[in-house]
Amino acid sequence: MKEVEVIKANSSTSKSKRGKQIERIRVSAYCRVSTDSEDQLSSYISQKTYYTDLIQKNSDWIFAGIYADEAITGTQVTKREDFQRMINDCMNGEIDMVITKSISRFARNTLDTLKYVRMLKEKDIAVYFEDEKINTLTMDGELLLVVLSSVAQQEVENISANVKKGLKMKMKRGELVGFQGCLGYDYHPEDKSITINEEEAEIVRYIFKRYVEGAGGSVIGQELENLGYKTKYGNSTWVPTTVLGIIKNEKYKGDLLLGKTFTVDPISKRRLENMGEEDQFYIRNHHEPIISEEIFEKAHEILNRRNKNRGKIGDGNTKREKFSRKYAFSCLLECGFCKGTLTRRKWHSGSQYDKVIWQCVTSTKKGKKHCPESKGIPEQAIEDAFVESYRILCDSNKDVLDEFLRTMNETLSSSSVNKQLSKVEKEIEALEKKKSKLVDMRLEDVIDSETYEYKFSSLTSKQDELLNEREKLQTTAMNEKDIKRRLQEFKRTLEQNEVLHEFDRYVFESIVEKVIVGGYDEDGNIDPAQLVFVYKTGFKNSLDGNRFKPMRKNARGNRKTNELCSQTNNEVQSLSSHSSSDTCRDSNITTTTLNRIT
């Protein structure tokens, strides 16, 4: 039988690490509170003070600092900056032991608890939980840890269920839940009410007005950017989804829908749009509306029609409006024979004979037999006809012109950019005062160095953002000043009854309700070239489109085109990729300039 000699363990080696003797261990503490309530913040300060004294009073320990996260949930460690910093310091060999109050303070997610405990254990770094009296380097530590961290996670799930139940009860009573304000409204947390912000409300009214007039989300967004308007969160970029989100929001007609989203689980905190998985609560006449019920419903009718047709491009039974309002005449041309809309097409694309034609959608989608009288009409003919119609309007009908001038005066009197600039300058001044006060507090030793550095850095960062914003607003204000100067010149031109020399999209969209293409003359004869301009005040003007049809590019000798282009089987079916500005040529004031103030 072999003889086995037992070599007894030497406890002193446990105090060495990588062959280097450690006389005293470096100990840090981790503190956290999940809310910013007064009681919780008091507990947060008490934790920091307690652990600082505890570590410094122990002669075997070296104080390695306090890591603390204020008003941060424990279910997701990625959102806890100081926790992540502590783990990095541990992995860099700067800490030998971490003390925390309980498992729930360290993490309320079983998976995260075990992950980080094991990570530290591999580096011989202990985590000590005071309430549970668990040291993760002991033999039975992990077994207890698994059980207790599971209990902590279950506690979170129970709390989440109770909170959800409480929120639903509040919604059922008609209380405002989870709302922090939106464009056009200010939220008052003291009484959970909302009131109209008149400056922002003007932007909302403008969005609904332009949408009802036929403009799409991208067009309205571009106009808002040109005007220098900003979103609720100070963003100067208006994406189409932001504009459409405002159109969809029922709050603007005075109603309130609660429960639009829901949290999947308390651990991942992933939120999804409520598609019927949870109860929703609709409250009517909850607050003062910005938009009337009639305008809101009209906007939603347009929105629903466009959404319905989107994705049904090949369906001949639906009107294609995917590119609504991309061009000046989009959705504003009506067939005088079948009442359908006209779509924009480009014939002979890529050749020297290319031209833009507007055709009846019924004829192009269903076949010529469904609208045999209609014919394609050149875009330039419609533009030139409008210029002539506008001249007649200025000479014989002042109602539309007066309404247009009133709108111009309202635009010229607005000073939203200057108001925003003044607000930003006040915020910069307030931050400067806060920084000065913070310096005084540090000199008087009211706050410690670490808190001072954090707060001062945060204030400086905010101030830098505001300085950049002020610079952008100053540039926008200068541009707006130039736009107003040009508009004043244009306004004087209108007041002097001077006519347009070339087509202008802004003027067209501002005063025209629709254009009826084709119809019957006084004798009842078919006239596919007839153009009837219907103005928003009710004034109508009928013109012969043949008069404005441009010369054919392939005309020979005295050959002229006095006939409209009939549809053939080899017509190009693709839509033009040209932008809407193609239809708007320069005049006394450019369309781009006008769009910036609409």
Side-chain angles (χ1 to χ4, degrees):
M1 185 175 181
K2 296 180 181 180
E3 184 178 349
V4 179
E5 180 183 359
V6 178
I7 302 173
K8 295 292 186 181
N10 185 357
S11 59
S12 62
T13 59
S14 63
K15 292 186 178 181
S16 64
K17 188 174 290 186
R18 298 185 179 91
K20 183 178 179 180
Q21 187 74 15
I22 299 177
E23 299 296 336
R24 301 168 66 193
I25 63 174
R26 296 160 297 181
V27 180
S28 68
Y30 178 71
C31 313
R32 179 186 64 81
V33 291
S34 55
T35 68
D36 56 1
S37 65
E38 187 176 343
D39 291 341
Q40 289 277 283
L41 292 178
S42 176
S43 171
Y44 170 76
I45 296 171
S46 300
Q47 287 182 55
K48 291 180 67 175
T49 304
Y50 168 75
Y51 284 115
T52 301
D53 294 340
L54 177 67
I55 296 171
Q56 289 180 343
K57 287 179 181 178
N58 193 318
S59 58
D60 292 332
W61 292 350
I62 297 175
F63 181 67
I66 300 291
Y67 298 84
D69 286 305
E70 179 182 346
I72 301 293
T73 178
T75 56
Q76 292 179 307
V77 295
T78 54
K79 294 184 178 181
R80 293 188 279 160
E81 293 180 1
D82 250 27
F83 182 87
Q84 293 294 337
R85 188 167 64 87
M86 178 187 71
I87 296 298
N88 289 335
D89 290 347
C90 288
M91 302 307 289
N92 291 333
E94 299 175 10
I95 300 172
D96 301 313
M97 185 169 77
V98 176
I99 299 178
T100 188
K101 185 175 185 294
S102 65
I103 294 173
S104 63
R105 295 297 92 190
F106 189 77
R108 285 196 168 183
N109 183 330
T110 305
L111 187 61
D112 286 337
T113 302
L114 296 178
K115 172 186 172 182
Y116 287 103
V117 164
R118 287 171 177 168
M119 185 188 297
L120 298 179
K121 195 173 182 179
E122 288 178 0
K123 296 285 186 178
D124 290 328
I125 300 171
V127 181
Y128 183 72
F129 303 101
E130 277 199 306
D131 287 357
E132 294 84 4
K133 294 182 172 57
I134 295 177
N135 186 322
T136 57
L137 292 185
T138 62
M139 292 182 64
D140 59 349
E142 185 163 325
L143 176 61
L144 288 171
L145 196 63
V146 172
V147 175
L148 294 174
S149 60
S150 298
V151 171
Q153 180 171 323
Q154 185 61 47
E155 181 186 357
V156 171
E157 293 174 354
N158 291 340
I159 291 172
S160 175
N162 291 334
V163 169
K164 277 186 176 181
K165 185 177 179 180
L167 290 176
K168 285 186 177 180
M169 291 177 67
K170 287 184 177 181
M171 293 179 191
K172 197 171 183 179
R173 292 196 298 266
E175 295 182 24
L176 195 61
V177 174
F179 179 68
Q180 297 299 324
C182 63
L183 187 72
Y185 285 109
D186 291 328
Y187 175 65
H188 307 286
E190 60 276 3
D191 58 357
K192 295 183 179 180
S193 64
I194 58 176
T195 56
I196 294 178
N197 181 320
E198 282 300 333
E199 184 178 334
E200 295 178 354
E202 286 303 314
I203 304 176
V204 175
R205 294 186 185 102
Y206 175 80
I207 291 173
F208 273 89
K209 173 179 173 292
R210 293 291 292 129
Y211 195 78
V212 169
E213 287 175 352
S218 57
V219 173
I220 297 174
Q222 186 61 51
E223 293 175 356
L224 293 171
E225 288 179 19
N226 292 336
L227 277 166
Y229 289 134
K230 291 199 172 185
T231 65
K232 183 70 175 180
Y233 303 103
N235 194 342
S236 58
T237 302
W238 288 83
V239 295
T241 50
T242 301
V243 175
L244 295 179
I246 291 173
I247 298 295
K248 296 175 183 177
N249 198 334
E250 78 292 335
K251 294 182 185 68
Y252 296 117
K253 65 171 181 175
D255 295 346
L256 187 65
L257 177 61
L258 300 174
K260 292 180 180 179
T261 61
F262 69 98
T263 304
V264 178
D265 62 80
I267 306 303
S268 67
K269 295 192 178 296
R270 188 162 61 102
R271 294 192 68 81
L272 296 177
E273 184 180 357
N274 189 354
M275 305 295 290
E277 295 89 344
E278 298 283 346
D279 293 339
Q280 291 182 307
F281 304 88
Y282 195 91
I283 308 169
R284 302 185 187 279
N285 302 319
H286 177 269
H287 52 270
E288 184 181 356
I290 294 177
I291 302 300
S292 68
E293 179 86 16
E294 181 183 359
I295 293 176
F296 187 87
E297 293 302 327
K298 190 173 182 180
H300 268 244
E301 182 182 343
I302 297 172
L303 179 68
N304 293 333
R305 186 172 71 247
R306 291 176 180 175
N307 287 339
K308 181 180 179 181
N309 294 332
R310 191 171 282 118
K312 298 183 179 180
I313 305 303
D315 187 353
N317 294 320
T318 59
K319 298 178 183 178
R320 178 173 183 166
E321 291 187 335
K322 184 171 183 177
F323 298 101
S324 252
R325 306 304 306 125
K326 185 178 182 181
Y327 304 103
F329 302 132
S330 298
C331 301
L332 295 181
L333 301 186
E334 178 184 300
C335 178
F337 302 107
C338 68
K339 305 303 179 184
T341 57
L342 274 70
T343 57
R344 189 179 191 268
R345 296 175 178 273
K346 198 165 189 179
W347 288 3
H348 312 298
S349 180
S351 72
Q352 60 178 321
Y353 306 115
D354 67 315
K355 58 181 175 181
V356 176
I357 299 294
W358 287 83
Q359 292 179 291
C360 174
V361 71
T362 305
S363 177
T364 56
K365 293 295 181 182
K366 296 184 177 181
K368 190 67 177 174
K369 63 180 181 180
H370 292 279
C371 190
E373 292 84 6
S374 66
K375 292 185 179 181
I377 184 167
E379 184 173 77
Q380 187 178 339
I382 306 174
E383 292 177 355
D384 293 344
F386 169 70
V387 172
E388 175 65 14
S389 177
Y390 184 77
R391 183 192 65 76
I392 297 171
L393 172 69
C394 291
D395 290 341
S396 60
N397 192 298
K398 303 297 182 183
D399 293 341
V400 178
L401 186 59
D402 291 341
E403 177 65 20
F404 182 60
L405 288 174
R406 186 187 64 79
T407 304
M408 295 278 279
N409 284 324
E410 290 178 357
T411 302
L412 291 171
S413 63
S414 65
S415 57
S416 59
V417 174
N418 290 328
K419 288 180 181 178
Q420 291 178 31
L421 185 58
S422 176
K423 182 179 178 182
V424 168
E425 288 177 342
K426 288 180 181 178
E427 290 177 357
I428 292 173
E429 185 180 349
L431 286 175
E432 192 61 42
K433 290 180 180 178
K434 287 184 179 180
K435 288 172 66 176
S436 178
K437 186 177 180 181
L438 193 64
V439 171
D440 292 339
M441 292 174 68
R442 179 67 189 113
L443 292 174
E444 295 170 4
D445 207 22
V446 176
I447 57 175
D448 56 39
S449 177
E450 184 180 353
T451 304
Y452 167 77
E453 292 293 341
Y454 173 77
K455 295 290 185 183
F456 191 86
S457 175
S458 177
L459 290 173
T460 303
S461 177
K462 290 179 181 178
Q463 193 175 41
D464 289 342
E465 290 178 4
L466 288 172
L467 288 171
N468 290 332
E469 184 178 345
R470 183 177 67 180
E471 184 178 351
K472 292 178 182 178
L473 285 172
Q474 287 172 341
T475 303
T476 302
M478 291 178 64
N479 292 337
E480 189 180 76
K481 186 177 180 181
D482 183 59
I483 293 169
K484 288 184 177 181
R485 179 184 60 78
R486 295 186 184 184
L487 274 177
Q488 289 284 9
E489 295 175 0
F490 184 63
K491 182 172 177 287
R492 283 195 293 270
T493 301
L494 291 177
E495 289 173 336
Q496 293 168 6
N497 290 333
E498 293 185 17
V499 298
L500 289 175
H501 296 288
E502 292 185 343
F503 178 78
D504 192 294
R505 175 173 180 168
Y506 175 75
V507 177
F508 174 80
E509 291 181 341
S510 299
I511 60 178
V512 174
E513 181 72 31
K514 65 178 177 179
V515 181
I516 302 174
V517 180
Y520 302 90
D521 60 20
E522 295 178 355
D523 299 327
N525 299 318
I526 296 173
D527 184 5
Q530 185 185 79
L531 296 173
V532 179
F533 292 90
V534 181
Y535 291 85
K536 292 182 178 179
T537 57
F539 174 74
K540 294 183 180 181
N541 185 19
S542 178
L543 297 174
D544 181 7
N546 282 321
R547 290 174 48 204
F548 307 96
K549 190 165 177 274
M551 191 73 131
R552 288 178 56 180
K553 294 180 180 180
N554 61 346
R556 296 178 181 177
N558 295 327
R559 181 180 176 186
K560 297 183 181 179
T561 13
N562 291 321
E563 298 179 359
L564 289 173
C565 310
S566 297
Q567 184 178 337
T568 60
N569 293 330
N570 61 350
E571 292 168 358
V572 178
Q573 299 298 317
S574 60
L575 283 172
S576 169
S577 61
H578 290 261
S579 66
S580 57
S581 60
D582 290 343
T583 63
C584 307
R585 297 180 295 279
D586 293 335
S587 60
N588 292 335
I589 177 168
T590 64
T591 302
T592 302
T593 300
L594 286 165
N595 282 341
R596 295 182 65 175
I597 54 84
T598 58

